[in-house]
């Protein structure tokens, strides 16, 4: 009986009591604390204070499925077979295509962001809570859901208020946004977080391969290391800002870590309970009215996860759902409140004192972009989401490797973008600030990436550089480059055997290098220092000309080193004195 309650918390007159008994039984059986793998479980996963201070959420804090993992082992017995919409072994079983998408995303992120340590079981846990593994694996062979999965309208009526940001392109609604797809991204987040996970050239939130990879990148931003509990908390809370959500995802994560298996697509367990369910709610979700022609292309009917009538719900597992409406049938409904949100009051964006943005290739910019949201009267607007987007042909990113970052304005109306990480492409970089959910002119910031530079060059040894005519120098020239005392790696350099100290043109006689064909060359370009700032030149050879010659090495940034080379014939010993004649 306890196991059944743990698997499905049935609604009814005794909902609260039943849920309390079930959660208590589950908590006792799973022994919150440190499990057999030494990992901390959800009961002890207290987020650090800054973990909940997110700049938004992937889902817009949309409702989610609250079914708890079963009490029994996730490993199925050989005699237990899966069944459509069933329980038992299918509780731990993940539909084949969905499971493949999670594992493929983990493999991709292991290479793209190895420091993140993303486990595919985390994607599975979030996918279970957000959509019941794409509604039990209702996906086509390419990973696209058979029907779009849509969350409720985020119209502020019991949910967050997020006005339309995609003109209905993803959710078919040109008035308000809804979370979309098996990983439940809101359109404004998908706009920058979306990925092509199945290589078809499209970024489709209703494709589990695309959505799983996008979720992985989203969870791996901000240089989070998901093997560390604090960062794991932050990442999960950034998906949905609810402690109940964090605890639930952690329980499913631990459950899947203990074992899971593949089941055929379409045979996964269908969840029963949602964070916005209320007593008396209709057991079958229905879809609110739509403006004709706004249904997403390729869908015969809207998705199955729209809100239930008379049930505004409680986003993120917060306050209890409101009671069913008592208005007689046929009475026109009261329109939603038109109280303007902070976003509605934004008239423009202003620079908030951003300093000059310059960095060498490969370095982190020392200054960050600050933008202030203001009303028409110039008053600061807090709690507004500002999106910073790096535009143009550049490999410069924000710290963490993303080209887009969304940050909420503080009490002073200021949003500070993450630090910029300069790429290897030099030149101008544009970062555009825009208001999410509001059409106001964007604000462009210019940053400059300069080539890697050195201000000092020095030889790594002081061995004399000498050679006999027609021979080769025994010692190769090696130098170390630094900038402000630090190693200058990847710095471009040129080495030239010059005519004289006052004439930097290449000499036409004396020492020389050899090219790939063995021909003599006296200027080498395209040289670069290594990770330790070292540059070792090729071997030097001498023609028949004797004397002292100069090798000059220069780098970007102005570092210059001139080295003396000597070509001289070998000294011969003087002949011994003739014996004096005998007397």
């Amino acid at each position: 009986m306890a196991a059944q309650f743990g698997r499905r918390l049935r609604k009814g007159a005794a909902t609260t009591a039943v849920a309390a008994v079930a959660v208590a039984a589950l908590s006792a059986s799973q022994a919150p604390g440190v499990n057999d793998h030494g990992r901390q479980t959800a009961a002890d996963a207290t987020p650090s204070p800054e973990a909940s201070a997110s700049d938004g959420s992937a889902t817009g804090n949309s409702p989610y499925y609250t079914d708890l993992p079963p009490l029994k082992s996730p490993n199925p017995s050989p005699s237990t077979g899966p069944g459509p919409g069933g329980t038992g072994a299918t509780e731990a079983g993940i539909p084949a295509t969905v499971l493949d998408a999670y594992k493929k995303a983990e493999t991709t992120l292991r290479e793209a962001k190895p420091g993140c340590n993303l486990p595919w079981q985390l994607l599975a846990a979030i996918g279970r809570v957000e959509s019941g593994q794409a509604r039990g694996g209702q996906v086509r062979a390419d990973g696209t859901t058979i029907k779009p999965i849509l969350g409720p309208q985020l119209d502020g009526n019991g949910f967050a208020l997020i006005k339309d940001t995609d003109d209905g392109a993803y959710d078919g609604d040109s008035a308000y946004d809804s979370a979309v797809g098996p990983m439940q991204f809101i359109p404004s987040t998908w706009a920058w977080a979306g990925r092509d996970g199945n290589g078809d050239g499209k970024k489709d939130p209703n494709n589990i391969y695309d959505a799983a990879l996008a979720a992985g990148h989203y969870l791996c931003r901000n240089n989070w290391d998901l093997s560390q509990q604090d960062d794991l908390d932050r990442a999960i809370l950034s998906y949905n800002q609810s402690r109940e959500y964090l605890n639930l995802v952690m329980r499913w994560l631990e459950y899947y870590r203990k074992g899971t298996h593949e089941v055929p697509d379409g045979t996964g367990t269908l969840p029963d309970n949602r964070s916005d369910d209320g007593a008396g709610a209709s057991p079958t979700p229905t879809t609110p009215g739509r403006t004709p022609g706004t249904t997403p292309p390729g869908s015969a009917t809207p998705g199955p996860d729209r809100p239930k009538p008379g049930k505004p719900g409680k986003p993120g597992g917060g306050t209890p759902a409101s009671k069913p409406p008592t208005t007689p049938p046929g009475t026109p409904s009261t329109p939603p409140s038109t109280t303007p949100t902070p976003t509605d009051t934004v008239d423009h964006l202003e620079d908030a004192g951003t300093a000059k943005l310059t960095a060498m290739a490969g370095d982190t910019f020392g200054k960050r972009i600050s933008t202030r949201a203001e009303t028409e009267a110039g008053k600061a607007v807090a709690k507004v989401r500002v999106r910073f987007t790096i535009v143009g042909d550049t490999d410069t990113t924000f710290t963490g490797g993303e080209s887009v970052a969304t940050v909420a304005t503080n009490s002073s109306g200021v949003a500070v973008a993450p630090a910029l990480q300069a790429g290897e492409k030099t030149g101008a970089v544009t970062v555009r600030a825009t208001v999410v959910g509001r059409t106001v002119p964007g604000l462009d910031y210019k940053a400059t990436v300069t080539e890697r530079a050195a201000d000092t060059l020095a030889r790594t040894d002081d061995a004399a550089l000498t050679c006999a005519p027609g021979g080769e120098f025994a010692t190769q020239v090696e130098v170390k480059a630094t900038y402000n005392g630090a190693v200058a790696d990847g710095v471009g350099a040129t080495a030239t055997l010059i005519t004289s100290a006052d004439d930097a043109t290449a000499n036409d006689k004396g020492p020389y290098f050899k090219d790939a064909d063995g021909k003599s060359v006296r200027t080498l370009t395209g040289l670069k220092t290594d990770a330790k700032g070292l540059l070792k030149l090729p071997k030097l050879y001498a023609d028949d000309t004797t004397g002292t010659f100069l090798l000059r090495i220069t780098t970007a940034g102005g570092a210059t080193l001139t080295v003396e080379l000597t070509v001289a014939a070998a000294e011969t010993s003087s002949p011994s004195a003739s014996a004096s004649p005998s007397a």
Side-chain angles (χ1 to χ4, degrees), residues 182-261:
M183 303 304 278
Q184 289 288 276
F185 280 97
I186 54 175
S188 60
T189 302
W190 183 261
W192 63 266
R195 294 292 192 278
D196 176 15
N198 63 349
D200 63 358
K202 297 183 295 184
K203 299 176 182 178
D204 181 3
N206 277 300
N207 182 282
I208 186 58
Y209 286 99
D210 295 358
L213 184 58
H217 276 279
Y218 185 89
L219 295 164
C220 285
R221 70 197 195 287
N222 298 329
N223 283 333
W224 283 330
D225 178 358
L226 303 186
S227 66
Q228 301 299 314
Q229 189 66 50
D230 284 349
D231 281 356
L232 181 59
D233 292 348
R234 293 184 181 95
I236 296 172
L237 283 169
S238 77
Y239 218 87
N240 189 308
Q241 296 171 325
S242 161
R243 176 56 189 266
E244 289 81 5
Y245 182 88
L246 167 64
N247 289 345
L248 184 61
V249 169
M250 281 298 300
R251 289 198 184 280
W252 279 106
L253 170 59
E254 295 303 324
Y255 182 74
Y256 285 134
R257 275 173 165 164
K258 292 176 183 176
T260 187
H261 58 283

Side-chain angles (χ1 to χ4, degrees), residues 263-406:
V263 298
D265 289 345
T267 65
T269 303
L270 305 180
D272 275 349
N273 308 291
R274 286 161 51 106
S275 61
D276 61 336
D277 282 348
S282 169
T284 305
T286 57
T287 305
R290 289 280 192 156
T291 303
T294 59
T295 302
S299 60
T301 59
D305 293 321
R306 284 295 182 179
K308 303 176 182 181
K311 172 184 62 57
K314 54 179 189 296
T319 58
S322 62
K323 295 179 180 180
T326 57
T327 306
T331 302
S333 60
T334 302
S337 170
T338 57
T339 302
T341 66
T343 301
D344 293 331
T345 67
V346 177
D347 177 75
H348 59 274
L349 294 175
E350 288 286 345
D351 176 41
T354 303
K356 184 178 181 181
L357 299 167
T358 303
M360 284 196 302
D363 287 354
T364 300
F365 282 75
K367 306 295 182 181
R368 295 164 69 178
I369 295 171
S370 297
T371 299
R372 176 181 160 101
E374 297 183 353
T375 64
E376 186 176 5
K379 184 179 179 181
V381 186
K383 298 181 180 179
V384 172
R385 290 185 298 158
V386 176
R387 179 181 298 138
F388 297 95
T389 306
I390 300 172
V391 298
D393 181 18
T394 179
D395 55 354
T396 291
T397 64
F398 291 111
T399 303
E402 302 293 346
S403 60
V404 179
T406 303

